[in-house]
Amino acid sequence: MTRPPATLREGGAPPPHDETAFAVDRRAALRFLASSAALALASCGRPSEQVVPYVEIPEGVTPGIRMAFASALALAGYARGVIVTAIEGRPIKVDGNPRHPASFGATDIFAEAAILSLYDPDRSKAPRIHGGLRSWPAFEGELQTQITQERARDGAGLRILTNRVTSPTLLGQLQGVLKLFPEAKWYRYEPVDDDAERGGAMQAFGRPLTALPRLRDARVVLALDADPIGCGPEQIRLSREFVAARQAPSAADFLRLYVVEPAFTLTGANADHRLPLDHALIRNVALVVAAGLGAAVEAPPLPDAADRFARAVTADLKARAGQAMVMAGRRQPAEVHALCHWINHALRAPVDFIAPVDPAAAGHGESLRALASEIAEGKVQTLIILAGNPVYDAPGELKLAEAIASVPFSAHLALYDNETSACCKWHLPLSHPLESWSDLRAYDGTASIVQPLIRPLYDSRTAHQLLAFLDGAVAASSYDLVRSHWQNEAGATDFDSWWRQTLEDGVIADSAAKKVSVGDASLPKVAPGLAPGTLSLVLGPDPSIWDGSFANNAWLQECPKPLTKQVWGNALHVSKAQAARLGLVDGNVVRLRCAQGTLEAPVLVRPGQADQTIEATIGYGRTLAGAIGNSIGFDLNALRRLDAPWVIDGVEIARTGRQQELLLTQHHFQLEGEARELQPRFTLAELAQGRADHLAKPGDNPPTLYPPRANDTYAWAMVIDTGACTGCNACVVACQSENNVPIVGPAEIAVGRDMHWLRIDSYLVDERPGFSPIPCMHCEHAPCEPVCPVAASVHDAEGLNLQVYNRCIGTRFCEANCPYKVRRFNFFGYADGEEYANFGAESIRAMFNPDVTVRARGVMEKCTYCVQRISRARRAAEKENRRIRDGEVVTACQAACPTRAISFGDLSDPEAKIHALRREPRSYALLGDLGTRPRTTYLARLDNPNDALAEHGS
Amino acid sequence: VTLAAAVTDHVGPAERWTQPDARDFNTVNRLITAPLLERGSLSWKTWWIGFAISLVLTLTMLVSIIWLFVKGVGIWGVNSVVVWGFALANYVWWIGIGNAGTLISSMLLLARQKWRASTNRFAEAMTLFAATIAGLFPILHLGRPLYFYWLVPYPNTMTVWPQWRSALIWDFWAILSYILFSIIFWYVGLIPDLATLRDRARGRFARTFYGACALGWRGSARHWRQHEILHLTLACLGVPLVVSLHSVVGMDFAASLMPGWQETIFPPYFVVGAMYSGFAMVVCLAALVRWGFNLQPLITVAHFEVMAKIMLSASLIMGLAYATEWFTAWYGGELADRSLLVFQFTGAYAPLYGALLVCNVFVPQAFWFAAVRRNITAVFAIAVIINIGMWIERILIVWNTLSHDYLPSSWRLFIPTIWDWLLLFGSLGLFALMFLVFVRIFPAVSMHEVRSLIEEETGAEETTT
């Protein structure tokens, strides 16, 4: 990909604010392009308001040609490098940056959905105080008064609250502000915290360290309530490494994953052996392992099955010392983390340590508590909250809403006018990461420059600009701030080329944190856990909307949670034992009571959950999220405590007799008997014995009366490795973004309608989940084609089964006759005049991929194998008078996949890599015996069980 | 033919198809034309009540169609997986009802079942109305109904033709030809009666109207001969047409890949099912016409008895067809088929499936008893039950397969909305409305055929006495 000079620039006086909703029509889009192009021509520093007529097309800008820019997006403060595609000045798609160590060219659902949040019509558009809109100068005037007062008292009343900050520029600015106001304080609170991890490192090594597990080098891993494969800033890297370590054909070289957890996580779903165990007892497993490795601890009692499990794992870990590792999750207390460090040290585990990227020393809870008590003591006069939404997502015991409201001057810079803004005096619109200059560090310390792709849509500012104002700089530009920070930092002789190269790469070379060598880990005192007498509520970030900050993102709200397939809401997950005891079925509303309060919520009965455990995710029940996220699900933050935010003990639940419909996109999970072949799984030994030979193989076709179809061109095919699919959903959202797939909203989901072109079927076999992404199979003998009366479903020469939207009259016979049920019908104009909530807003239209038709009401649609990408590759190839090369076409789902589970290629090319995949022994065609001859085929999941735990999956 | 002969065999001389007091031509003509030409001789109160109710229902249908066009098919309970619902079930049900008129007229005509004479006219009208309503549903059910004409092979700038392999195209032609045939057949049968009406009419408007409709029929021997030939020829065409029509409707499902649909038994099974529900509807209408227009002398208990026997035999065939489906699902050993069978009996729709078996197979067994067959109220009630049962059968054919096919991940249920119900009942209203108007304009019973029946009956009486 060629990248034009990255000299987009923001800053200067913003255009007058338009009260009406932001509108991007053709003219506006052209105007953006023209002005950004003009800026590209202009050198830095000059005002940006010059508008160049479009007839003077700047060099390097061709209408209709996409441009890609490297940038970075933050999740919980940590960067994932991305490459954002813009067309005529509109960013339309996020892909991973292959050079970035936290993305490897792949994405996660949050990165994919950033496009939608950019165009979200609910975004805050102008500064606001209670009761009305204000201008930035009005705010700056008030802030100036405040600054003058604070300067007089050395900033004694000034407090800044942020999320986790990894931006070197912002950290530098914060330091500058703190230097200017010596009495001022900076607090930081990230709702999905790492206090336990940090505490564990402190206990084990006496200093704060971040552990970076090298899963790629591990062969035996025990996850103690840890979820490295689940969502989070490290998800892409860890799941890529996990799958990379599970490629070898022999058991010795194939990572074996043991998981002990109270409720299913994606890590548990991908485990070879999994033990459901109540939260309080998990530390006992760690103690048994430690004792087995010679620690001076007494192995505490465990239930029989758990004890057998723990001993087998210990033996396995010991046998693979040097390649074995234990991980603890954020729900476990610090001492368990410390114990794991000790175990890892004893095992010579492949774990690296770095100094924390997040330099704030205090814990997240601690930090917020300090702020709250300072407010209570009346010490805080000026409170600046940069991003975040602590009023919503902080544990309820702090009563932060009242506290913040009592501060004389408070300002909240955020994308949305949210719960926290409502408690502050001022709400200030924050620029979206795709509109702002900044920089970010990844989990391992690698820094990236955040480049804007579009000028701010609204009258918004960045955190850099606001801090610069505190620092005395009026009308500072983020670009200058970031650039000058790196000018000092880089120390390059030729800074301009360094800068240019860095922007092109999206990664600052050699910026990863240096590995720290740690000494012996000290053995912490861990009191054995006791079998719980009461229920515990264990919490976690939500796999769809994280900590609630994505609550107004409709793609994410409608993204089915990997294990439950729930959309538009959360539920209390109860174990089967509890459900049987209380006579609960899915959707029963229960009253949950704990020391912090009560809550009424619907339950979902979950398999594989420890008996005394209730699980739920945070992030729902937002009140000021926007038209999409308001009043969806229930909010658990009120029940959380600062010192143990993820576990609430002593919980009781009781039936209320009420019922609430849970919105699920899949209702049947169990596969039994012959139906297991719908998602076959084999152990390495079974595969070696040829147990996969009876599967319907690709190309192994039942006879037909029809003559073979002549093929004289490309023959596209896809192979999906269900063994590599971790169920993360990145492909689902990527497909939605690439193909303009609309959302339908909760009411439509309730009726059983959805529009995802790609879904992930999750099945339970022997209580173990597995995932099969199901796009269109592009059957060679497609059942949908002969039944369409108007030939709207047709086959093209390259083997694609295509839907001709403008020919479709909507008989829906194709979907009725599709054995895979992959077709989706526009029962309403989901993208065409009958959109959910504010999804029909003008700004949303700017998000559409112009290469893909937006479908009208009454037509059928489905996966096209990203035919627009194939066409693009074909155009490029034909220009050069060659065939499309193997690997040149990358579908959106394939590009997004963190574990490269999806492969795409041309069967007519004998050299194509896809042939080898189709010939693998575990290759199979889903429902291949129907004679549909699917072009999408699968590789069965492989497990590497430990013979010592003969009962598979125990 | 043999079946029809068997069911009428034991009808003794005393149980003729007409009552003795009506056995002269003038009485027949007067009885039948009274509602048209001597309106004062009847009380029309019930008719008006019926008319008002059916008008309201028709308006309901109109409103639900308008709303459908405004909002889209999303107002129904159809979902991503169960993409078909009431519309298709209603279509199959109505087209089934639309079957019986032609069966009675053509098949029984060819089988020389003279008793058909007193029922075939309104049965044919029923056919016409039912087929028309049935024809609406496939269009209404489209996502983009405005383009329904793309099913027609007309020359167009896109140079695209319909896709001839699709069962829906076969269906389109089957319905179209059936409706056209029904109109012609019905009208040809009506011509001599229209002439009778013209001749008996006293009002000038009626004379002109019926005169124009009678197309110059003079009752000459030549006319009668040619009429007879045309009628028989049409009947010969009609029998294969009606069988093919419903076979094609069966193929809408059978020519697919879905468990529970892909069954070779479907075409004959649909034909019998259609005949079954059609006869049940004819029984209902016969009872109403007989009661409303005092036609007891012409529509006798014997008619109900013989139709009850036909329904009984059809119920046995339906039972056999159901059992065959179960057996083949089990014997075939396909996972999806077996799973679907279990779902039919134990899944969410199982109560409906039970109701279907009761309505279609068990209740009609009461017809083994002559006392039931000869009790018009009982026959009427059972016929209504059969019609309900047949509708349930149609909806379950759609629901069961789509709700429970190959991949368990895609198993979903259909929950009807108010608009589904309104359109269903609205279509019943439209049917009733058309029928009520019909009986006020055209003779509900064929005069000339009843006259020839009486000719035969009196002849038979003479030979027996």
Side-chain angles (χ1 to χ4, degrees):
Chain A
M1 271 178 281
T2 58
R3 290 178 212 139
T7 47
L8 285 177
R9 187 186 173 307
E10 66 166 25
H17 177 68
D18 183 4
E19 249 314 286
T20 57
F22 168 73
V24 182
D25 53 10
R26 184 185 56 84
R27 279 163 183 278
L30 291 183
R31 210 150 52 224
F32 286 134
L33 174 63
S35 50
S36 56
L39 291 170
L41 284 179
S43 59
C44 337
R46 273 196 298 180
S48 59
E49 260 53 39
Q50 185 190 356
V51 174
V52 177
Y54 197 62
V55 285
E56 295 175 28
I57 297 175
E59 199 178 345
V61 175
T62 318
I65 298 293
R66 354 183 113 224
M67 298 201 288
F69 295 87
S71 185
L73 292 168
L75 182 65
Y78 294 117
R80 285 105 76 240
V82 293
I83 288 179
V84 188
T85 303
I87 193 152
E88 284 159 23
R90 296 178 293 115
I92 56 159
K93 180 76 177 67
V94 172
D95 288 291
N97 182 351
R99 298 182 209 207
H100 194 276
S103 108
F104 293 111
T107 53
D108 56 28
I109 58 170
F110 308 113
E112 291 286 349
I115 287 288
L116 176 54
S117 69
L118 168 68
Y119 295 112
D120 189 343
D122 284 328
R123 268 183 61 190
S124 162
K125 300 176 179 82
R128 216 172 242 281
I129 65 168
H130 296 306
L133 294 170
R134 292 291 183 274
S135 65
W136 276 99
F139 168 73
E140 285 164 356
E142 268 199 39
L143 183 61
Q144 195 54 54
T145 327
Q146 213 61 30
I147 290 172
T148 319
Q149 288 172 13
E150 289 298 343
R151 193 159 286 173
R153 51 176 182 253
D154 278 349
L158 175 64
R159 298 293 179 270
I160 297 170
L161 175 62
T162 66
N163 280 137
R164 178 182 284 126
V165 177
T166 65
S167 159
T169 306
L170 198 64
L171 286 169
Q173 285 185 281
L174 280 166
Q175 274 166 15
V177 169
L178 294 177
K179 206 174 281 173
L180 200 64
F181 301 93
E183 297 293 309
K185 282 193 184 128
W186 163 43
Y187 294 111
R188 73 95 175 74
Y189 171 74
E190 186 66 41
V192 182
D193 65 28
D194 57 354
D195 288 352
E197 288 98 318
R198 233 168 232 265
M202 282 298 284
Q203 287 188 21
F205 305 110
R207 53 182 160 150
L209 289 170
T210 302
L212 299 178
R214 294 198 314 270
L215 278 178
R216 189 185 293 273
D217 299 331
R219 289 300 173 262
V220 177
V221 174
L222 169 64
L224 296 171
D225 201 4
D227 188 16
I229 294 170
C231 62
E234 280 192 291
Q235 178 184 34
I236 301 172
R237 180 175 68 87
L238 290 176
S239 43
R240 168 74 56 94
E241 293 201 359
F242 169 72
V243 169
R246 286 170 71 92
Q247 294 298 320
S250 76
D253 289 327
F254 193 102
L255 185 149
R256 178 178 294 151
L257 177 62
Y258 298 93
V259 174
V260 184
E261 60 186 7
F264 258 118
T265 61
L266 277 191
T267 307
N270 285 285
D272 296 296
H273 291 283
R274 177 181 177 275
L275 176 74
L277 194 63
D278 284 307
H279 168 264
L281 289 175
I282 287 176
R283 61 178 65 191
N284 292 7
V285 175
L287 284 168
V288 169
V289 173
L293 290 166
V297 293
E298 200 174 322
L302 274 172
D304 279 350
D307 196 55
R308 199 155 48 88
F309 187 96
R311 284 177 202 288
V313 175
T314 312
D316 207 8
L317 287 168
K318 252 172 148 172
R320 301 304 295 264
Q323 292 177 309
M325 159 192 328
V326 179
M327 304 169 98
R330 72 172 71 82
R331 288 197 284 244
Q332 292 299 316
E335 58 266 28
V336 174
H337 284 263
L339 186 59
C340 288
H341 285 308
W342 185 91
I343 294 170
N344 281 339
H345 185 75
L347 289 170
R348 305 190 312 280
V351 179
D352 296 327
F353 290 91
I354 56 169
V357 172
D358 172 5
H364 298 264
E366 194 189 324
S367 196
L368 206 56
R369 194 193 295 276
L371 174 66
S373 63
E374 283 200 323
I375 294 174
E377 290 162 26
K379 288 184 183 164
V380 183
Q381 307 302 318
T382 310
L383 177 64
I384 308 286
I385 305 175
L386 298 179
N389 189 8
V391 168
Y392 164 76
D393 55 33
E397 63 172 307
L398 279 181
K399 306 252 178 299
L400 211 56
E402 292 87 335
I404 290 178
S406 71
V407 176
F409 181 92
S410 54
H412 182 217
L413 178 72
L415 275 179
Y416 297 92
D417 193 351
N418 59 21
E419 292 87 342
T420 304
S421 303
C423 297
C424 290
K425 186 173 181 202
W426 280 90
H427 163 77
L428 309 168
L430 173 69
S431 296
H432 191 271
L434 295 175
E435 323 170 303
S436 25
W437 283 102
S438 185
D439 48 9
L440 284 173
R441 283 192 191 276
Y443 202 80
D444 70 346
T446 305
S448 304
I449 305 289
V450 175
Q451 285 196 81
L453 277 104
I454 187 169
R455 287 188 56 203
L457 298 175
Y458 312 112
D459 191 6
S460 58
R461 300 268 169 101
T462 63
H464 299 297
Q465 286 172 300
L466 189 60
L467 278 188
F469 191 85
L470 287 181
D471 215 355
V474 184
S477 98
S478 315
Y479 174 77
D480 293 340
L481 292 165
V482 174
R483 199 176 141 98
S484 66
H485 175 90
W486 286 102
Q487 200 144 21
N488 299 332
E489 199 86 350
T493 44
D494 178 7
F495 179 71
D496 279 336
S497 27
W498 181 91
W499 178 252
R500 201 188 146 116
Q501 187 62 45
T502 303
L503 290 183
E504 262 189 43
D505 292 350
V507 177
I508 294 174
D510 302 324
S511 57
K514 295 282 169 293
K515 294 189 177 45
V516 179
S517 61
V518 293
D520 289 356
S522 53
L523 183 65
K525 269 199 167 36
V526 180
L530 297 172
T534 56
L535 297 174
S536 319
L537 174 62
V538 297
L539 302 174
D542 190 81
S544 292
I545 61 165
W546 189 240
D547 55 9
S549 49
F550 296 102
N552 209 48
N553 193 306
W555 287 350
L556 297 179
Q557 283 281 11
E558 204 163 288
C559 178
K561 297 187 206 307
L563 293 158
T564 61
K565 298 292 164 191
Q566 191 182 8
V567 293
W568 295 100
N570 52 349
L572 290 174
H573 300 166
V574 297
S575 63
K576 285 183 165 176
Q578 286 304 324
R581 189 176 69 81
L582 292 166
L584 294 171
V585 295
D586 289 356
N588 284 168
V589 174
V590 295
R591 184 173 300 108
L592 179 144
R593 200 187 302 274
C594 66
Q596 285 75 247
T598 63
L599 174 91
E600 289 192 2
V603 298
L604 190 60
V605 181
R606 296 286 300 136
Q609 186 159 319
D611 290 354
Q612 297 293 90
T613 295
I614 303 175
E615 190 213 14
T617 57
I618 61 166
Y620 285 95
R622 295 279 308 270
T623 50
L624 290 172
I628 301 291
N630 283 348
S631 313
I632 302 285
F634 54 92
D635 178 13
L636 285 154
N637 289 315
L639 305 185
R640 297 168 74 203
R641 286 176 308 136
L642 270 180
D643 47 348
W646 303 105
V647 181
I648 300 167
D649 288 320
V651 171
E652 289 168 20
I653 53 171
R655 302 180 58 148
T656 61
R658 285 186 297 116
Q659 184 75 17
Q660 184 182 327
E661 190 181 8
L662 298 174
L663 302 176
L664 309 179
T665 58
Q666 183 181 338
H667 302 271
H668 300 270
F669 293 89
Q670 215 71 42
L671 288 187
E672 276 156 4
E674 237 183 293
R676 291 167 186 231
E677 306 230 325
L678 297 175
Q679 198 179 66
R681 301 151 186 213
F682 302 98
T683 64
L684 288 168
E686 284 168 351
L687 189 72
Q689 288 160 13
R691 293 271 289 275
D693 293 351
H694 70 284
L695 296 176
K697 297 292 175 191
D700 198 8
N701 297 322
T704 174
L705 293 172
Y706 287 105
R709 208 187 277 267
N711 176 58
D712 55 357
T713 174
Y714 306 104
W716 302 111
M718 183 179 273
V719 175
I720 300 176
D721 184 353
T722 59
C725 177
T726 60
C728 76
N729 273 335
C731 52
V732 174
V733 183
C735 173
Q736 188 149 29
S737 174
E738 169 75 16
N739 292 303
N740 300 336
V741 176
I743 55 133
V744 298
E748 290 294 284
I749 294 278
V751 186
R753 300 172 189 156
D754 50 1
M755 289 309 281
H756 289 128
W757 284 6
L758 171 61
R759 65 168 196 267
I760 300 183
D761 281 357
S762 169
Y763 291 119
L764 286 169
V765 174
D766 299 331
E767 301 246 312
R768 302 174 73 232
F771 305 101
S772 307
I774 310 279
C776 176
M777 299 290 137
H778 291 272
C779 308
E780 289 173 13
H781 291 182
C784 50
E785 289 168 15
V787 297
C788 177
V790 292
S793 175
V794 291
H795 225 73
D796 81 356
E798 299 179 1
L800 300 190
N801 165 255
L802 298 173
Q803 182 71 9
V804 186
Y805 304 128
N806 52 4
R807 178 69 179 167
C808 177
I809 59 172
T811 67
R812 313 191 283 290
F813 203 165
C814 49
E815 168 72 341
N817 204 30
C818 175
Y820 309 96
K821 289 287 175 280
V822 294
R823 296 175 150 259
R824 293 292 175 263
F825 189 69
N826 289 275
F827 290 99
F828 289 120
Y830 298 123
D832 174 37
E834 290 170 296
E835 295 90 349
Y836 173 68
N838 57 7
F839 231 64
E842 284 284 318
S843 64
I844 294 283
R845 297 185 191 180
M847 177 181 78
F848 288 139
N849 181 353
D851 289 350
V852 179
T853 314
V854 176
R855 282 77 60 184
R857 185 179 89 189
V859 303
M860 191 62 81
E861 57 184 71
K862 62 161 201 79
C863 160
T864 63
Y865 269 173
C866 286
V867 65
Q868 66 281 5
R869 293 187 175 212
I870 298 175
S871 297
R872 208 178 306 144
R874 189 186 301 109
R875 289 198 296 274
E878 283 178 2
K879 259 189 266 178
E880 292 165 26
N881 204 14
R882 58 169 173 86
R883 275 176 73 89
I884 300 174
R885 296 188 192 100
D886 191 24
E888 197 174 346
V889 180
V890 178
T891 64
C893 51
Q894 180 188 9
C897 182
T899 60
R900 295 179 177 159
I902 302 175
S903 312
F904 188 73
D906 171 18
L907 289 181
S908 74
D909 172 7
E911 306 291 307
K913 290 195 194 83
I914 197 151
H915 286 293
L917 292 171
R918 281 166 65 96
R919 278 195 301 268
E920 280 221 13
R922 59 192 175 106
S923 175
Y924 69 97
L926 185 63
L927 300 175
D929 55 337
L930 292 179
T932 52
R933 308 190 174 188
R935 279 278 173 88
T936 305
T937 56
Y938 291 85
L939 299 180
R941 173 170 159 169
L942 277 183
D943 289 313
N944 180 16
N946 182 352
D947 293 336
L949 288 167
E951 196 193 333
H952 195 66
S954 67
Chain B
V1 174
T2 46
L3 177 79
V7 291
T8 55
D9 251 3
H10 85 282
V11 177
E15 303 172 66
R16 291 293 171 187
W17 308 109
T18 52
Q19 281 177 5
D21 53 356
R23 285 182 198 153
D24 77 84
F25 297 160
N26 208 26
T27 318
V28 168
N29 284 352
R30 203 171 39 75
L31 269 175
I32 295 173
T33 58
L36 310 173
L37 303 176
E38 295 158 51
R39 294 213 171 132
S41 67
L42 289 155
S43 158
W44 291 91
K45 199 174 140 205
T46 324
W47 189 92
W48 279 112
I49 295 171
F51 184 81
I53 294 172
S54 54
L55 189 65
V56 169
L57 285 172
T58 305
L59 289 176
T60 311
M61 184 181 181
L62 197 65
V63 168
S64 46
I65 290 175
I66 290 171
W67 190 241
L68 173 74
F69 287 168
V70 170
K71 294 292 285 183
V73 285
I75 63 169
W76 294 342
V78 280
N79 63 45
S80 290
V81 171
V82 191
V83 285
W84 289 350
F86 273 33
L88 263 283
N90 294 347
Y91 156 67
V92 179
W93 188 68
W94 277 117
I95 202 79
I97 287 169
N99 218 317
T102 313
L103 271 176
I104 288 181
S105 301
S106 327
M107 206 180 275
L108 298 184
L109 176 71
L110 296 181
R112 309 227 166 103
Q113 295 296 307
K114 280 292 176 183
W115 57 270
R116 56 171 276 287
S118 23
T119 54
N120 68 345
R121 170 65 42 71
F122 64 81
E124 282 166 31
M126 173 193 86
T127 285
L128 190 56
F129 304 147
T132 311
I133 292 173
L136 284 179
F137 280 102
I139 296 175
L140 295 180
H141 122 114
L142 294 179
R144 303 203 295 169
L146 66 169
Y147 297 122
F148 78 93
Y149 63 90
W150 286 355
L151 272 78
V152 183
Y154 69 100
N156 59 67
T157 51
M158 297 177 282
T159 66
V160 187
W161 272 44
Q163 214 273 92
W164 298 100
R165 287 183 299 166
S166 171
L168 292 186
I169 286 290
W170 314 339
D171 215 28
F172 172 77
W173 289 105
I175 305 172
L176 187 68
S177 38
Y178 189 66
I179 290 178
L180 290 177
F181 169 81
S182 300
I183 293 171
I184 295 170
F185 193 57
W186 175 72
Y187 194 76
V188 166
L190 202 55
I191 289 172
D193 285 0
L194 291 169
T196 311
L197 284 167
R198 173 196 64 199
D199 298 342
R200 291 176 71 96
R202 287 175 207 140
R204 179 144 177 263
F205 173 77
R207 263 209 314 274
T208 322
F209 173 73
Y210 290 122
C213 291
L215 303 178
W217 177 273
R218 293 188 311 278
S220 70
R222 194 174 131 87
H223 279 177
W224 279 112
R225 185 170 169 277
Q226 280 171 346
H227 182 262
E228 187 86 343
I229 291 169
L230 178 60
H231 206 213
L232 263 175
T233 315
L234 283 175
C236 291
L237 277 175
V239 172
L241 189 62
V242 76
V243 170
S244 76
L245 167 73
H246 235 80
S247 299
V248 167
V249 174
M251 281 189 276
D252 278 352
F253 300 98
S256 76
L257 197 61
M258 290 290 112
W261 286 359
Q262 194 191 22
E263 293 175 10
T264 44
I265 197 177
F266 261 40
Y269 158 51
F270 268 58
V271 172
V272 176
M275 187 178 84
Y276 191 33
S277 61
F279 263 91
M281 190 58 105
V282 168
V283 165
C284 297
L285 294 178
L288 293 172
V289 166
R290 176 180 191 263
W291 166 73
F293 293 142
N294 306 323
L295 294 179
Q296 288 85 352
L298 300 181
I299 305 174
T300 63
V301 171
H303 281 101
F304 288 92
E305 186 172 16
V306 71
M307 287 194 283
K309 285 177 186 169
I310 292 178
M311 287 191 283
L312 175 62
S313 56
S315 84
L316 292 175
I317 299 175
M318 292 307 284
L320 185 66
Y322 298 146
T324 310
E325 281 197 290
W326 305 331
F327 173 77
T328 48
W330 167 76
Y331 188 69
E334 272 293 323
L335 173 67
D337 288 333
R338 285 186 175 183
S339 169
L340 178 64
L341 185 63
V342 173
F343 178 73
Q344 283 179 334
F345 283 99
T346 61
Y349 308 131
L352 278 177
Y353 199 69
L356 171 161
L357 292 177
V358 169
C359 294
N360 290 355
V361 182
F362 297 118
V363 170
Q365 301 311 314
F367 287 145
W368 285 107
F369 303 101
V372 179
R373 292 198 302 269
R374 299 187 62 81
N375 179 334
I376 294 179
T377 320
V379 176
F380 180 84
I382 292 176
V384 170
I385 290 173
I386 290 173
N387 264 323
I388 295 172
M390 286 307 293
W391 188 84
I392 298 175
E393 188 209 279
R394 274 48 165 124
I395 195 70
L396 284 186
I397 286 175
V398 173
W399 281 358
N400 272 330
T401 289
L402 290 178
S403 297
H404 197 92
D405 66 351
Y406 292 104
L407 297 182
S409 66
S410 302
W411 290 348
R412 282 177 204 172
L413 297 180
F414 182 106
I415 297 135
T417 66
I418 181 76
W419 297 106
D420 282 311
W421 291 113
L422 287 182
L423 195 58
L424 171 62
F425 289 110
S427 69
L428 284 168
L430 177 61
F431 177 77
L433 186 79
M434 291 198 284
F435 198 79
L436 287 170
V437 171
F438 156 74
V439 295
R440 270 200 69 143
I441 297 177
F442 297 112
V445 173
S446 170
M447 284 182 273
H448 69 95
E449 282 170 292
V450 170
R451 288 199 302 263
S452 75
L453 174 65
I454 284 171
E455 171 73 22
E456 208 160 290
E457 297 236 308
T458 39
E461 225 164 50
E462 275 155 18
T463 46
T464 45
T465 46

